[in-house]
Amino acid sequence: MRFRYRSVISMDSVTGAQLLLMRPEIPITVVGSRGCVTYSALVDTGADNVVFPRSIADQLGIDLSPSQRSEAVGFGGGSVALLCGTTTLEIADATSVLRWSSQVLFSDCQPQDDDVILLGYFGFLEFFQANFDGLRGWLELLSNHRLPLDKTISSRN
Amino acid sequence: MNPSVDPSVIEDLPKAAPVEFAGQWVAWNREQTEIIGHGSTWMDARQMAIEGGSPDPILQKVPRPESVFIGARR
């Protein structure tokens, strides 16, 4: 499956001038008991887990429980409370769809301005061979035998 | 604006959300060519898209240009 990177407006750290960056953000659909919604999510090889904002679980009807890994810590030492839930995830490109169930983490950020969606190792990257083409802005994902497919690998053609 | 990458590559990517939406959630159409909703929460952005006739948008939290994402919260 192939996905285009997303362009985002950023700022040059030295001059302060605006510039465009590319990020490997891909659409991912979260399926809960009360519906499904698609989000743009950052594929992050440095993240241990898949992390969504808690509001997604609350709105889509995903049951949460305390996580054994109760907080996320990033660079600089700030921490975010985490909850755990099992949900169905789906990615799709022009030709195929992959859907699987996975245990993921939900962050309880306050303020919610800090919300991020990360596709890290457990629940996502563990299931794929990933090729990041930073020059051309493409992410290629090839699923491996560990992907616990729920439903389909279907061709859209 | 000075692209940090080949302009021809940038032209082919999904468009960047304008800075006026920095810090907000936006709803893109499925082709990711047009912003069809926005708000302070993803629910607000999605609701605007639905009211505009697009029930299945792609929701993105737009980063603030002055913030560098390095995995840190603060």
Side-chain angles (χ1 to χ4, degrees):
Chain A
M1 306 179 84
R2 298 183 81 212
F3 301 90
R4 295 313 313 257
Y5 278 34
R6 178 177 289 286
S7 54
V8 297
I9 297 173
S10 187
M11 185 180 288
D12 185 285
S13 302
V14 177
T15 67
Q18 283 189 356
L19 76 166
L20 283 169
L21 296 180
M22 295 195 300
R23 286 182 177 171
E25 284 191 25
I26 68 171
I28 187 162
T29 301
V30 181
V31 182
S33 62
R34 292 202 292 266
C36 58
V37 180
T38 304
Y39 304 89
S40 183
L42 181 69
V43 179
D44 186 351
T45 58
D48 291 338
N49 291 81
V50 173
V51 182
F52 292 103
R54 177 179 181 158
S55 58
I56 292 176
D58 293 342
Q59 292 293 317
L60 297 185
I62 299 166
D63 292 332
L64 297 178
S65 58
S67 169
Q68 295 303 310
R69 309 178 83 181
S70 59
E71 64 177 24
V73 178
F75 179 84
S79 64
V80 180
L82 295 172
L83 295 164
C84 186
T86 298
T87 188
T88 298
L89 302 175
E90 179 181 295
I91 59 173
D93 68 0
T95 60
S96 58
V97 179
L98 295 178
R99 179 183 276 210
W100 70 98
S101 291
S102 187
Q103 195 171 74
V104 302
L105 299 178
F106 292 89
S107 62
D108 209 355
C109 281
Q110 297 295 337
Q112 293 182 340
D113 197 39
D114 290 340
D115 282 345
V116 294
I117 300 178
L118 300 176
L119 303 179
Y121 183 74
F122 291 113
F124 190 83
L125 281 169
E126 63 176 314
F127 303 132
F128 296 98
Q129 176 181 315
N131 178 34
F132 294 82
D133 185 342
L135 182 62
R136 296 174 185 82
W138 282 101
L139 169 63
E140 189 169 19
L141 295 173
L142 181 64
S143 60
N144 62 40
H145 69 280
R146 293 181 61 188
L147 180 67
L149 279 173
D150 241 18
K151 185 181 167 190
T152 55
I153 299 179
S154 65
S155 171
R156 288 184 163 181
N157 294 330
Chain B
M1 193 177 298
N2 300 314
S4 62
V5 295
D6 184 340
S8 65
V9 172
I10 282 285
E11 286 173 11
D12 202 29
L13 295 178
K15 286 193 300 187
V19 288
E20 67 196 76
F21 295 115
Q24 295 188 52
W25 285 86
V26 295
W28 293 92
N29 61 359
R30 294 303 289 191
E31 296 75 28
Q32 300 188 70
T33 56
E34 186 182 356
I35 291 174
I36 52 177
H38 65 93
S40 59
T41 69
W42 65 264
M43 293 81 81
D44 293 340
R46 180 170 179 254
Q47 187 60 36
M48 186 181 292
I50 291 171
E51 289 172 359
S54 300
D56 193 20
I58 296 172
L59 301 163
Q60 180 205 8
K61 179 72 180 288
V62 181
R64 297 181 187 278
E66 67 274 19
S67 299
V68 179
F69 182 77
I70 50 174
R73 184 179 181 219
R74 287 251 194 278

